[in-house]
Amino acid sequence: MNQQFKDYSQVVSQYIGNLPNDGGDWLVAQRSSAAERFTELGFPHAKLEAWKYTGIEGLLKQGFETLDKSPEFAEHAVLNQFLPEPVAGRLVFVDGVYQADLSTCDAVGITVGNLRSAMAASDRTVLEAIGSLSGVGDHGFAALNLATVHDGAVIRVAAKTSLEQPVELLHMATKSAEGQALRSRHLVMLETGASANLIERYVALDGVAYFNNLVCEISLAQGARLTHQRVQHESPKAYHLSDIHLGLQADARYHGINAAVGAAWSRTVIHNRFLDRGASCELDGIYLAGDGQLTDFHLDVDHAVPHCDSRESFKGILHGAGKAVFDGLIQVREQAQKSQAHLHNANLMLSRQAEIDTKPQLVILADDVQCSHGTTVGQLDPQAVFYLRSRGIDEQLARHLLCLGFASEVIDRFESETLRLQLTEVIRQQVRG
Amino acid sequence: MLTIKNLTANVDSKEILRGVDLDVKAGEVHAIMGPNGSGKSTLAHILSGRDGYEVTGGEILYKGQDLLRLETEERAQQGIFLAMQYPVELPGVNNMTFLRESMNAIRRSRHEAEIDAVSFMKLVREKAASVKFDQKLLKRSVNAGFSGGEKKRNEILQMAMLEPYLAILDETDSGLDIDALRTVADGVNLLRSPERSMIVVTHYQRLLEYIEPDHVHVLAGGRIIRSGGKELALELEAKGYGWLLEEAAA
Amino acid sequence: MGLPNIEMENFVETEYAQGFVTEIESDTLPPGLDEAVVRTISERKGEPPWMLEKRLTAYRHWLTMREPNWAEVKHPPINFQDISYYSSPKKKPVLDDLDQVDPELLATYEKLGIPIEEQKALAGVAVDAVFDSVSVATTFRESLAEAGVIFCSMSEAIREYPELVEQYLGSVVPHKDNFFAALNSAVFSDGTFVFIPKDVKCPMELSTYFRINEANTGQFERTLIIAEERSHVSYLEGCTAPMRDENQLHAAVVELVALEDARIKYSTVQNWYPGDNEGRGGIYNFVTKRGDCRGNRSHISWTQVETGSAVTWKYPSCILRGKDTVGEFYSVAVTKGMQQADTGTKMIHIGENSRSTIVSKGISAMHGSNAYRGLVRVAAKAENARNHTQCDSLLIGDRCAAHTFPYIEVKNPTAQVEHEATTSKVSEDQLYYCRQRGLSEEDAVSMIINGFCKEVFNELPMEFAVEAQKLLAVSLEGAVG
């Protein structure tokens, strides 16, 4: 055990000791078992298969601290970031702290709020949902999140409620986030037959360095449907780690559309567990990695029960000295007959210093299944570039257009027009052909 | 050749056939028509012995013996051929190998000598030409990557090679353009003979313009609700199925 | 025509057909491993001091290593002190001709259908036979020597061509490479040595048959093939072992070196005893195989048909060092009963315009577990590297397992890498279609499986392709339905 880790462990215990005892004994027990787990696991390292390609030396060197301080910011700067589309509800977190004044919810059948209030009110449903899908944590950071969590979003959609408009979950980092490790934890619960559309965004007002260490648990009851649009556009110096846990009951449908375009270092892990038959999970994603960036997506789709379908499609654009890591695991367990799972990962390498490590995986223990995966690493088609040039478009623009064409398959899946335009703009500006 | 008596059958515990009677004599061509979901394909698959179809009553006599007691391949060996609506792809299995293995399996069952490679090649070329089946496709895997029309022609080629006594064509016309339809029909007509019977299952009258049936039956709701000559097909073409269904319901 | 007619009588014999034991006197070291054993092996083989040094260095390094545990296989721990590291049939020290080979041994090879008597040999195939740890007969040596080809046992090569062996042995798979390679480097007993000089196209197929006979022995053979500039060689190995209740270890190392414009085709039909259906007995097949495309435009192709062994752990790989080099890996791996296989390849692209193709077909039946594990690495300097990988798994029965673990690491923007994998079973529709055309269910399954493996069988030399198809049919008999 290295010195850094020992120090960290101590800081964590102290921090936990000082936390308000909001959630009662139950939460205290959760926190201390998570702290124990952290001590047991330590920080991830390259010898762990899941972290083989994703180093955390840079992250540890930053020495981010877990503080519990209120951010300072100008309100209009936050308002500017709101999506112009009408929403059914909005939750705003600035530097990990819930902003009740800026958050709204008018729609019927949906409750939005923050974890801290729910803990303070000893809301049993919320407390019991914490960790119900994620467990204590399968790596050190996830355990740390549970040990030190102080806030997050809680979104509940009542049975049979169908929300027309999306719910926006906005995470903003300001200058005062500098040096902080932000540990939020979100809970999304859709009851039987409910349907909703969640837009989750991570943006920054300043180019400061901070660490967003998130865990998100999403449970869909029987027949529930969720479209989840998720954009990670953190500060260029930020570190971002998201562990998303999905639990799908019978006939539930989840569609996640992910974009990771910001941060110096980002890793998004999506665990999907099918809990009963007839459910479906679709995951789409686009990631960019340019100079000094590492972007990582890990998918872990677990077909534990029969008759469920999953589809995963992720695309990456690597430019400058960017590095991307993709790991797509599909597991089909013994009893999970009639499963269908198809995964595709395509990577576009635009520069000499770029690097991609990709690893799709199939672990199949049932025979009556249809599973496939495919991966490609390649370049823009020179003939296509030539074709555009022959029509009078200069090479730079031609390459940009083709990159956008490559990304559009995923970007077009974002239902929000604003997000589609924003992402297109990011690619246009960031990607150097 | 074939006698079906009061046949009832279930698929997934749902009653699909509710008492079908049919008598096909040697040399006859019978058309079975009917709206979608009337049980036409079910009947075709039961005749060829596909798993998953539960016969709940009635009997089928083929050349005087109880057909239902035979396995799928035994029926094929005794001369029943089903040209499928959706021919199956067999990646990596060479089309010619497949044909030859089939022919020899059938010959062995009849205690006939296996066909030698030279005679086989000669025969397959001849037959392929007669049904306008592209010779290049013979060297490819069975149906893998074939167009819809190519798959159907391959079925007719197999039928021509295997020379069945009872050929069942299940919606062979579906998805075919007029040229392909004509070729398929020509292939079928070439095989018409006094020893061979055919059951042509189709939704439209179109195919019957080229393959002239001796008898036409309308299957609806799991029963044959009307039988007649080829003029019945024309009547259906003109009036649709609605009037018959109403009559049957009345 | 791609498929032989399926003869039903071949199907009746479903037990492992090569499971007999040969009663033959042998000279076997007692179980156990220490420096003295390493020295004894070297001494028995009359090796020069430099070889002993290599062995001891490897042994000392092995002591510092741990058995790998990352593969998708499970087996009880191996006690390396329970294994005998050397066994050889008692025989005259040097074999000048086949008349001196123990007739029991010749009979064994005859039972296996392997021709080591030249007059009965398949036209154009030279055979080296390795019995337990020792090469017992090499055929066609004279006609090969006329062409300048050296084809002999490794022990002989160490004595007769020490400069070649010293230069190349361990240059592709160094003793530090992995646990089993280190063990092999310390205790290897024999194996095959092939040297094809410049501009020579080897006039016949070369082939080695390996046979484990003694109980409680491990087999640690070492194969080294060197193809000089513009030379060509095609080599095939086959392996069998008796049925025994205990597990036996086979930890071989194969090194291939291809210089400029050379081509090496290496085919394996591995049919070691797989153990019974309850998982008793069988060979642990932990093998390191690697080819080095050292020269520009060199070409190494691995083809394997793996039907035997209780546990298989092997990744025949290519280091594509030269420019315009080509690496290929074609594999059929069958696991049934309680068999487990973790196999695949590594294609390391270093040279410009290097190309690789991977075709892997895994078939799992009963409780069999089959994993493809592959690495495609494109180094920063490997301009225009190309890889295409196709991995297909076929599952038969609902208690088997198929896994696919490809690793793709690309550091050059001109690379094009494609990986595709599918998992499926023999569909009811396919079976019905075949049966409707008069084929029995067994023949239909056999035909569909052969079709599934076709791309790989096409890569095998003609006479072995037929053998491989039969082997596949026999090993899957009883596993289907």
Side-chain angles (χ1 to χ4, degrees):
Chain A
M1 204 180 291
N2 61 28
Q3 192 54 40
Q4 194 173 18
F5 177 71
K6 270 191 196 160
D7 294 349
Y8 213 93
S9 264
Q10 273 174 10
V11 171
V12 168
S13 338
Q14 271 171 18
Y15 179 83
I16 295 173
N18 294 334
L19 279 174
N21 200 4
D22 280 344
D25 295 347
W26 189 85
L27 189 64
V28 171
Q30 282 278 65
R31 284 190 195 281
S32 67
S33 73
E36 268 169 41
R37 174 61 66 85
F38 172 66
T39 315
E40 177 194 321
L41 293 173
F43 290 117
H45 50 81
K47 283 194 178 155
L48 297 172
E49 184 64 26
W51 295 83
K52 182 178 162 86
Y53 297 112
T54 311
I56 60 159
E57 297 74 22
L59 169 59
L60 294 181
K61 225 179 267 172
Q62 296 275 348
F64 292 119
E65 286 180 278
T66 305
L67 308 169
D68 191 7
K69 66 174 193 186
S70 299
E72 292 159 24
F73 59 95
E75 196 176 294
H76 69 90
V78 176
L79 294 177
N80 276 342
Q81 294 291 333
F82 287 1
L83 286 178
E85 288 106 316
V87 294
R90 177 177 285 123
L91 286 119
V92 181
F93 289 81
V94 177
D95 299 346
V97 178
Y98 181 60
Q99 305 298 319
D101 298 349
L102 297 170
S103 304
T104 52
C105 181
D106 307 322
V108 179
I110 175 170
T111 335
V112 303
N114 66 323
L115 191 60
R116 197 166 201 162
S117 319
M119 291 191 296
S122 287
D123 183 331
R124 231 39 225 174
T125 330
V126 170
L127 287 176
E128 276 163 23
I130 296 175
S132 64
L133 292 171
S134 68
V136 179
D138 55 5
H139 57 81
F141 291 115
L144 264 184
N145 176 290
L146 183 56
T148 64
V149 62
H150 55 103
D151 213 345
V154 178
I155 299 171
R156 273 185 282 187
V157 185
K160 306 268 187 303
T161 305
S162 177
L163 295 174
E164 297 274 312
Q165 291 164 346
V167 177
E168 185 181 9
L169 170 55
L170 179 64
H171 253 264
M172 186 150 350
T174 67
K175 201 174 243 164
S176 48
E178 174 97 58
Q180 285 199 63
L182 310 172
R183 296 213 166 81
S184 306
R185 199 170 178 101
H186 304 314
L187 289 172
V188 179
M189 292 173 267
L190 268 64
E191 293 175 8
T192 308
S195 107
N197 184 342
L198 174 65
I199 298 179
E200 185 181 355
R201 295 159 70 216
Y202 295 86
V203 296
L205 291 178
D206 284 283
V208 294
Y210 53 91
F211 176 31
N212 231 333
N213 176 5
L214 299 142
V215 175
C216 181
E217 292 175 274
I218 300 176
S219 59
L220 303 191
Q222 187 181 354
R225 289 169 179 236
L226 179 67
T227 303
H228 187 186
Q229 305 173 65
R230 199 167 186 283
V231 177
Q232 179 274 104
H233 191 187
E234 301 269 24
S235 134
K237 288 186 186 163
Y239 291 74
H240 177 105
L241 171 60
S242 289
D243 281 272
I244 301 162
H245 296 266
L246 307 168
L248 272 54
Q249 292 291 350
D251 303 315
R253 301 175 75 92
Y254 174 86
H255 185 191
I257 309 114
N258 298 273
V261 297
W265 181 102
S266 91
R267 176 180 169 104
T268 308
V269 188
I270 305 175
H271 301 270
N272 174 60
R273 216 183 311 159
F274 288 113
L275 302 169
D276 206 343
R277 43 181 75 203
S280 97
C281 174
E282 289 186 87
L283 302 172
D284 287 289
I286 178 83
Y287 49 91
L288 297 187
D291 281 342
Q293 270 184 304
L294 179 142
T295 311
D296 172 345
F297 267 100
H298 267 65
L299 312 181
D300 170 14
V301 177
D302 187 352
H303 285 259
V305 293
H307 289 278
C308 291
D309 295 346
S310 74
R311 180 190 62 76
E312 297 79 23
S313 172
F314 279 71
K315 288 189 157 191
I317 301 177
L318 294 103
H319 60 106
K323 177 178 170 174
V325 177
F326 178 83
D327 188 319
L329 169 65
I330 294 172
Q331 290 191 74
V332 178
R333 300 195 186 252
E334 284 90 341
Q335 64 279 18
Q337 297 292 2
K338 304 280 178 198
S339 294
Q340 284 206 34
H342 300 284
L343 176 146
H344 192 72
N345 172 234
N347 296 283
L348 197 53
M349 267 192 116
L350 299 174
S351 79
R352 196 135 281 284
Q353 300 83 28
E355 180 180 338
I356 169 74
D357 299 307
T358 168
K359 192 178 111 192
Q361 303 180 74
L362 287 171
V363 173
I364 313 288
L365 301 170
D367 66 326
D368 193 4
V369 300
Q370 285 181 34
C371 298
S372 69
H373 69 209
T375 314
T376 60
V377 178
Q379 302 74 46
L380 293 175
D381 178 2
Q383 286 196 3
V385 176
F386 173 76
Y387 180 77
L388 290 176
R389 288 174 65 198
S390 76
R391 297 294 180 267
I393 295 165
D394 72 50
E395 181 161 357
Q396 178 77 7
L397 182 57
R399 294 177 71 90
H400 263 130
L401 288 173
L402 291 170
C403 277
L404 287 170
F406 174 82
S408 66
E409 196 190 319
V410 176
I411 291 179
D412 287 349
R413 292 186 182 262
F414 280 92
E415 288 178 5
S416 155
E417 195 188 356
T418 314
L419 292 181
R420 287 200 299 270
L421 291 173
Q422 280 179 358
L423 288 167
T424 305
E425 195 48 34
V426 169
I427 293 175
R428 200 190 295 280
Q429 282 177 10
Q430 288 192 5
V431 174
R432 293 184 286 107
Chain B
M1 180 74 70
L2 181 77
T3 309
I4 302 175
K5 287 182 196 156
N6 197 25
L7 182 71
T8 56
N10 289 357
V11 178
D12 292 334
S13 316
K14 202 177 143 202
E15 194 177 25
I16 304 291
L17 299 184
R18 302 162 188 236
V20 172
D21 292 286
L22 189 67
D23 191 34
V24 179
K25 297 196 167 57
E28 290 181 347
V29 174
H30 287 243
I32 296 185
M33 302 183 67
N36 290 328
S38 60
K40 303 192 298 289
S41 285
T42 299
L43 180 61
H45 287 306
I46 286 175
L47 288 174
S48 73
R50 182 174 204 157
D51 291 340
Y53 295 83
E54 189 199 348
V55 174
T56 50
E59 63 173 342
I60 305 178
L61 294 173
Y62 170 67
K63 291 180 163 181
Q65 58 175 327
D66 180 1
L67 183 71
L68 295 172
R69 289 178 55 188
L70 301 179
E71 292 292 330
T72 301
E73 60 267 35
E74 290 169 334
R75 298 181 197 195
Q77 288 159 3
Q78 297 196 18
I80 292 184
F81 180 92
L82 172 63
M84 297 195 194
Q85 185 178 3
Y86 304 107
V88 178
E89 301 192 0
L90 303 174
V93 177
N94 179 281
N95 217 355
M96 276 199 281
T97 310
F98 178 65
L99 260 175
R100 194 166 161 216
E101 291 290 339
S102 295
M103 274 187 95
N104 284 334
I106 292 172
R107 285 180 175 227
R108 278 196 301 271
S109 75
R110 297 174 185 169
H111 307 289
E112 293 168 10
E114 296 193 4
I115 187 165
D116 64 87
V118 178
S119 321
F120 174 79
M121 291 300 292
K122 192 165 162 270
L123 188 67
V124 78
R125 292 231 170 84
E126 233 173 74
K127 299 281 186 186
S130 77
V131 301
K132 296 192 178 128
F133 185 76
D134 188 345
Q135 306 265 350
K136 271 181 254 155
L137 298 178
L138 286 173
K139 292 180 187 147
R140 299 236 312 255
S141 297
V142 179
N143 295 329
F146 286 19
S147 71
E150 286 165 349
K151 284 183 183 172
K152 293 295 172 74
R153 275 180 224 216
N154 202 12
E155 296 291 284
I156 301 304
L157 170 65
Q158 290 174 15
M159 181 166 86
M161 293 290 289
L162 301 179
E163 300 186 319
Y165 297 115
L166 174 64
I168 306 152
L169 287 86
D170 186 10
E171 308 256 358
T172 300
D173 50 336
S174 66
L176 291 187
D177 63 31
I178 197 75
D179 286 338
L181 187 70
R182 203 168 280 163
T183 322
V184 165
D186 288 349
V188 172
N189 287 327
L190 276 175
L191 287 169
R192 285 182 82 151
S193 86
E195 299 84 48
R196 185 168 291 128
S197 310
M198 295 193 189
I199 296 175
V200 181
V201 174
T202 181
H203 181 73
Y204 300 105
Q205 189 265 343
R206 202 172 64 144
L207 180 65
L208 305 179
E209 284 174 23
Y210 303 98
I211 304 173
E212 198 176 297
D214 301 306
H215 301 275
V216 175
H217 310 276
V218 177
L219 185 65
R223 281 194 193 94
I224 288 178
I225 55 168
R226 177 70 64 98
S227 297
K230 63 187 171 193
E231 67 290 341
L232 177 59
L234 295 172
E235 202 176 349
L236 286 168
E237 179 75 359
K239 295 158 75 177
Y241 290 108
W243 62 282
L244 261 182
L245 298 179
E246 277 165 30
E247 260 188 41
Chain C
M1 209 154 286
L3 189 85
N5 288 328
I6 298 146
E7 288 162 19
M8 286 311 291
E9 52 268 36
N10 280 350
F11 278 83
V12 182
E13 176 62 85
T14 70
E15 292 283 292
Y16 183 72
Q18 291 78 22
F20 57 86
V21 179
T22 306
E23 292 303 329
I24 201 159
E25 268 195 284
S26 61
D27 168 17
T28 304
L29 281 185
L33 181 57
D34 54 22
E35 269 200 32
V37 169
V38 176
R39 285 176 194 279
T40 310
I41 294 170
S42 188
E43 194 185 299
R44 295 252 171 123
K45 307 187 80 64
E47 287 176 354
W50 59 264
M51 194 61 239
L52 175 63
E53 257 334 288
K54 271 189 188 237
R55 286 181 183 276
L56 289 172
T57 312
Y59 174 70
R60 287 167 197 149
H61 188 75
W62 178 72
L63 289 176
T64 69
M65 298 175 91
R66 272 201 213 155
E67 202 182 328
N69 61 1
W70 42 262
E72 196 68 24
V73 296
K74 288 188 192 80
H75 57 81
I78 300 169
N79 186 341
F80 291 91
Q81 297 304 335
D82 282 352
I83 298 169
S84 164
Y85 288 84
Y86 187 78
S87 170
S88 86
K90 276 191 182 155
K91 57 161 177 63
K92 291 164 192 123
V94 181
L95 287 172
D96 291 330
D97 63 69
L98 286 166
D99 296 342
Q100 296 173 12
V101 177
D102 190 323
E104 271 289 316
L105 255 176
L106 285 180
T108 300
Y109 279 91
E110 200 151 304
K111 265 195 224 173
L112 295 169
I114 298 153
I116 52 172
E117 285 186 84
E118 289 186 42
Q119 57 272 35
K120 290 182 192 164
L122 278 170
V125 181
V127 177
D128 182 25
V130 176
F131 198 83
D132 285 336
S133 302
V134 174
S135 172
V136 291
T138 310
T139 62
F140 284 111
R141 297 181 54 165
E142 277 162 27
S143 37
L144 288 169
E146 274 169 37
V149 173
I150 304 172
F151 178 46
C152 65
S153 72
M154 183 58 83
S155 322
E156 194 180 340
I158 292 169
R159 289 193 304 269
E160 305 291 323
Y161 313 100
E163 61 298 326
L164 283 175
V165 176
E166 199 174 357
Q167 183 185 350
Y168 289 105
L169 190 74
S171 74
V172 185
V173 180
H175 68 267
K176 290 184 178 174
D177 193 82
N178 68 68
F179 183 83
F180 293 108
L183 180 63
N184 176 288
S185 302
V187 302
F188 77 83
S189 36
D190 213 336
T192 306
F193 177 80
V194 177
F195 177 81
I196 319 287
K198 278 180 196 169
D199 298 302
V200 171
K201 313 266 182 287
C202 185
M204 59 187 79
E205 299 273 345
L206 303 182
S207 120
T208 300
Y209 275 86
F210 293 101
R211 172 84 181 161
I212 298 179
N213 191 59
E214 268 313 294
N216 300 316
T217 56
Q219 179 149 318
F220 303 93
E221 84 268 359
R222 185 97 187 184
T223 300
L224 175 59
I225 299 179
I226 302 151
E228 282 202 328
E229 290 82 350
R230 297 169 298 282
S231 67
H232 289 193
V233 62
S234 171
Y235 176 89
L236 181 122
E237 61 175 0
C239 334
T240 58
M243 288 158 74
R244 291 190 187 283
D245 284 346
E246 79 273 12
N247 297 107
Q248 280 178 281
L249 178 63
H250 172 252
V253 171
V254 175
E255 296 177 279
L256 312 182
V257 179
L259 302 183
E260 229 170 71
D261 294 294
R263 290 177 74 105
I264 302 176
K265 185 177 178 65
Y266 193 107
S267 313
T268 303
V269 176
Q270 186 265 103
N271 188 24
W272 294 119
Y273 177 54
D276 64 16
N277 283 344
E278 275 72 53
R280 271 191 304 270
I283 302 292
Y284 291 160
N285 189 36
F286 301 151
V287 173
T288 307
K289 291 182 165 177
R290 195 172 302 152
D292 190 351
C293 283
R294 244 172 241 188
N296 295 340
R297 296 171 302 282
S298 56
H299 185 141
I300 289 180
S301 175
W302 298 100
T303 305
Q304 59 174 26
V305 177
E306 303 275 321
T307 57
S309 297
V311 181
T312 295
W313 178 101
K314 71 182 259 202
Y315 315 91
S317 305
C318 296
I319 300 167
L320 302 168
R321 207 182 294 278
K323 289 180 189 172
D324 302 296
T325 47
V326 178
E328 293 171 329
F329 175 76
Y330 298 95
S331 169
V332 167
V334 180
T335 53
K336 65 156 190 174
M338 302 295 280
Q339 280 178 284
Q340 308 171 66
D342 192 304
T343 182
T345 184
K346 293 183 203 173
M347 293 290 173
I348 312 294
H349 291 259
I350 300 170
E352 290 173 23
N353 298 316
S354 50
R355 263 133 232 267
S356 62
T357 303
I358 299 171
V359 177
S360 164
K361 305 280 180 178
I363 301 168
S364 316
M366 299 157 85
H367 287 90
S369 164
N370 212 321
Y372 167 82
R373 188 181 301 277
L375 168 67
V376 174
R377 178 181 287 154
V378 178
K381 287 180 182 164
E383 294 294 300
N384 296 312
R386 298 284 179 269
N387 163 268
H388 183 81
T389 302
Q390 178 72 47
C391 290
D392 297 314
S393 304
L394 195 66
L395 295 143
I396 301 171
D398 58 2
R399 276 169 298 178
C400 55
H403 310 309
T404 315
F405 304 115
Y407 292 70
I408 296 156
E409 304 173 1
V410 181
K411 290 187 177 168
N412 183 297
T414 61
Q416 279 182 23
V417 178
E418 289 171 7
H419 167 97
E420 284 176 75
T422 64
T423 300
S424 56
K425 64 172 201 165
V426 175
S427 81
E428 297 295 329
D429 284 351
Q430 288 175 327
L431 283 179
Y432 171 55
Y433 191 73
C434 293
R435 290 175 67 200
Q436 211 300 307
R437 298 302 182 252
L439 299 172
S440 71
E441 183 157 358
E442 241 159 33
D443 286 358
V445 169
S446 170
M447 183 178 268
I448 291 165
I449 289 172
N450 272 306
F452 176 76
C453 300
K454 193 172 186 178
E455 277 170 276
V456 176
F457 289 160
N458 283 346
E459 293 299 318
L460 284 171
M462 253 309 251
E463 47 283 46
F464 299 112
V466 177
E467 190 180 324
Q469 290 195 14
K470 282 189 189 155
L471 186 59
L472 195 68
V474 171
S475 49
L476 283 171
E477 167 62 9
V480 175

